[in-house]
Amino acid sequence: MSLKTKTLHGFFWSLTQQFGVQLTMILVTIFLARILEPADFGLIGMLAVFMALGNSLIDAGMTSSLIRTKDADQRDFSTVFFINLAVGVLVYLAMVFSAGLISEFFNQPALKAIIKVYCLTFLIYPFSAVQRTRLVKNMDFKTELKITIPSTIVGGLLGLVLAFQGFGVWALVGMNLAQNLLLSVQFWVYSNWRPSWVIDWERFKYHFGYGAKLTLAGVINSVFSNIYHLVIGKFFPVTQLGYYTKADSLKQIPVKNISNTLSKVTFPMFSEIQDDDEKLKVAYKRIMQQVLFWLTPVMALSAVLAEPLFRIVLTEKWIPAVPYFQILCFIGLMFPIHSYNLNILKVKGRSDLFLKLEIIKKSLTVVGIIIALPYGIFALLWTQVILNLVAFGINSFYSGRFIGYNVWSQLRDILPIFLIGGVAAIGGWFVKGSIGNFPAVDWIQLIGGGLIGIMIYFLISWGAKSEPFVDFRKIILKK
């Protein structure tokens, strides 16, 4: 199977998996949001930074090294498996011993017990990390689909049962644990790989040597990607953190479906052609354009139609989260650009530069938070938007040097997509504003504004012969 065919197959099954998982989670989230209170989501949001930090430490960048290593064998996989398992135990123990301090920091006594149960995922995840990595390396996303969908459904149903029974925040804890446990069990069942009782320290040094800088960069990124949860949880009421957490999670739905789908496919694909800069440039450009072509109208119209969307999906009690969501939609558009730029550095083996850039960007984040915090939560959110634009400039400058695709070339290729998306959003906003107040107005605004916006977007793309639109017709539809 050629790399192109393998990539297209991987994209299809990865996309199917993402949509299946996200559709299930959307339905579960809708019901949970109607039953539970914003404060319940706020309590889980307080743990976001610690969960992301722990997962980064467990992985240590070594699974990325396995994907990148073309001749990885049983000793490589087994070594990474046992190291991950040992680190997982240490991370869980660290969280248990720190539970009291964390609950005191947020002034939320309930967090102490929640942490000890919620963080059991640190013991579960390492058991299946290598199995999952082998599937990604082989672009076998069809098998991953068979694993993730049932786990998500069963875990979601358990969460709903607990919520209906009045368990509050523990419904979210139980759902998370059930999903992770089922995932781990099924990866063992479906995978034909089993670890050998061996730890090769030379292989460990090789993978850790590549992954160490990625790990430190991942730790920094994990902390700062979730630092707004930490800051809002510390300095603002837990209900406001609940609004922010829910707005952020809804923003992630289209981002994860469209961007993360291709991100899982692109890293192994980029690794296959890491020595051919011209192929890397062409592949990077076309993938980035495709992702933004589909993501832009979704994020733009979601921001414009956020109020009726929230009222229909989550009920009136979540309306205060609407302005948070609208601002975060801008950040969602930047995510795939960051991801693919940084993937170039990873496949080129420049984990040292990856780490350096993360330190620079996160230092700017600290300065931004310090300046914005006295002016309230919306100042923090707009600062986040500005910092994402700065991060784009930094990431694309350095990755562009490796493949001959500089910042201005990237902007030239993506700005037309944003402009067309902006016009579509204006059309959706105009339809929404033109509809008066009468029964089912929210449904009419959402459906009418969404349909008109989408029609405008694709008509302009077709008329202007937008490059990603033409690519999609030639390559994807033909295939």
Side-chain angles (χ1 to χ4, degrees):
M1 186 183 293
S2 69
L3 180 61
K4 178 180 176 181
T5 303
K6 193 175 181 181
T7 301
L8 288 170
H9 277 246
F11 168 71
F12 172 77
W13 287 112
S14 183
L15 185 64
T16 305
Q17 178 222 337
Q18 285 287 340
F19 269 103
V21 170
Q22 289 302 317
L23 178 60
T24 305
M25 287 308 300
I26 288 170
L27 295 174
V28 171
T29 298
I30 289 172
F31 286 108
L32 287 176
R34 289 169 174 266
I35 302 167
L36 304 178
E37 296 300 318
D40 295 324
F41 291 90
L43 285 170
I44 298 300
M46 290 174 177
L47 301 181
V49 64
F50 303 104
M51 299 304 297
L53 178 60
N55 287 327
S56 293
L57 289 172
I58 292 171
D59 181 67
M62 290 190 288
T63 54
S64 292
S65 182
L66 288 174
I67 294 172
R68 181 178 177 272
T69 303
K70 294 181 179 180
D71 57 349
D73 58 22
Q74 180 70 5
R75 298 182 74 84
D76 294 271
F77 292 115
S78 298
T79 297
V80 172
F81 175 84
F82 286 112
I83 296 297
N84 281 355
L85 196 59
V87 177
V89 173
L90 293 176
V91 170
Y92 176 71
L93 292 175
M95 288 302 299
V96 169
F97 288 121
S98 304
L101 294 174
I102 295 171
S103 62
E104 289 177 13
F105 175 81
F106 288 111
N107 195 26
Q108 295 289 336
L111 273 181
K112 188 173 182 179
I114 292 171
I115 288 170
K116 293 178 181 179
V117 180
Y118 197 82
C119 291
L120 284 170
T121 54
F122 292 141
L123 300 178
I124 298 171
Y125 169 73
F127 278 100
S128 59
V130 171
Q131 284 88 338
R132 187 192 299 257
T133 299
R134 287 173 61 87
L135 292 179
V136 173
K137 186 178 178 69
N138 295 323
M139 296 192 191
D140 185 5
F141 299 108
K142 183 177 181 179
T143 301
E144 193 172 5
L145 169 70
K146 297 176 184 177
I147 294 170
T148 52
I149 297 295
S151 302
T152 305
I153 292 173
V154 175
L157 289 174
L158 176 63
L160 287 173
V161 170
L162 292 174
F164 277 116
Q165 293 297 319
F167 282 89
V169 68
W170 289 100
L172 301 174
V173 176
M175 179 177 70
N176 180 64
L177 277 180
Q179 288 173 344
N180 279 277
L181 183 59
L182 288 169
L183 280 172
S184 189
V185 170
Q186 287 189 94
F187 273 115
W188 274 84
V189 171
Y190 280 91
S191 174
N192 59 5
W193 180 84
R194 297 292 182 268
S196 300
W197 293 98
V198 60
I199 296 179
D200 188 319
W201 294 107
E202 288 301 316
R203 305 290 175 91
F204 167 71
K205 289 177 184 178
Y206 171 78
H207 294 297
F208 187 73
Y210 171 81
K213 296 183 181 68
L214 285 182
T215 302
L216 186 51
V219 166
I220 294 170
N221 189 56
S222 296
V223 171
F224 283 91
S225 294
N226 296 280
I227 195 169
Y228 291 92
H229 290 85
L230 193 69
V231 172
I232 294 170
K234 175 63 177 176
F235 295 102
F236 298 91
V238 66
T239 302
Q240 280 193 279
L241 178 57
Y243 292 142
Y244 175 83
T245 300
K246 181 53 62 184
D248 188 54
S249 65
L250 286 179
K251 175 263 293 182
Q252 290 290 354
I253 290 172
V255 172
K256 284 184 176 181
N257 276 331
I258 299 172
S259 177
N260 285 8
T261 297
L262 274 174
S263 186
K264 287 201 303 184
V265 178
T266 55
F267 184 56
M269 184 197 70
F270 286 169
S271 297
E272 289 284 335
I273 55 174
Q274 59 186 284
D275 299 321
D276 191 327
D277 291 344
E278 187 58 33
K279 280 187 178 180
L280 265 178
K281 174 185 174 181
V282 172
Y284 171 82
K285 173 186 172 181
R286 296 176 84 169
I287 287 170
M288 182 174 67
Q289 285 184 321
Q290 280 300 317
V291 171
L292 291 177
F293 178 74
W294 296 102
L295 186 61
T296 297
V298 174
M299 301 306 289
L301 290 169
S302 295
V304 168
L305 304 172
E307 189 170 337
L309 175 66
F310 269 63
R311 194 176 284 113
I312 291 170
V313 174
L314 301 177
T315 71
E316 191 75 30
K317 68 181 177 182
W318 288 96
I319 289 299
V322 166
Y324 299 8
F325 175 75
Q326 291 172 321
I327 297 171
L328 289 172
C329 283
F330 288 101
I331 298 167
L333 280 175
M334 302 302 300
F335 178 81
I337 308 175
H338 298 324
S339 176
Y340 302 140
N341 269 301
L342 293 175
N343 268 351
I344 296 297
L345 299 183
K346 287 163 68 176
V347 300
K348 285 295 186 180
R350 291 302 306 272
S351 54
D352 57 332
L353 182 56
F354 189 105
L355 173 59
K356 178 182 176 181
L357 297 185
E358 287 303 303
I359 292 173
I360 293 171
K361 290 180 292 185
K362 295 340 177 195
S363 299
L364 293 174
T365 299
V366 171
V367 174
I369 289 174
I370 292 172
I371 293 172
L373 187 58
Y375 299 98
I377 193 167
F378 289 106
L380 283 171
L381 294 178
W382 282 114
T383 300
Q384 198 174 349
V385 173
I386 295 168
L387 289 169
N388 268 267
L389 293 173
V390 173
F392 162 71
I394 294 173
N395 291 337
S396 57
F397 173 78
Y398 283 97
S399 66
R401 290 170 61 183
F402 286 101
I403 58 174
Y405 193 32
N406 61 35
V407 179
W408 302 115
S409 297
Q410 292 188 38
L411 282 173
R412 186 178 63 247
D413 290 330
I414 63 177
L415 277 178
I417 301 172
F418 290 157
L419 290 174
I420 298 172
V423 174
I426 292 171
W429 172 80
F430 181 78
V431 171
K432 172 179 171 287
S434 301
I435 297 172
N437 292 318
F438 48 83
V441 64
D442 288 329
W443 282 99
I444 296 172
Q445 287 180 339
L446 185 61
I447 296 172
L451 287 176
I452 294 299
I454 289 170
M455 287 174 58
I456 291 172
Y457 185 79
F458 284 104
L459 282 172
I460 295 176
S461 298
W462 172 73
K465 292 182 172 56
S466 170
E467 195 170 354
F469 181 77
V470 173
D471 266 354
F472 180 77
R473 291 181 61 192
K474 285 183 176 178
I475 301 173
I476 307 297
L477 290 181
K478 182 181 176 182
K479 190 65 186 178

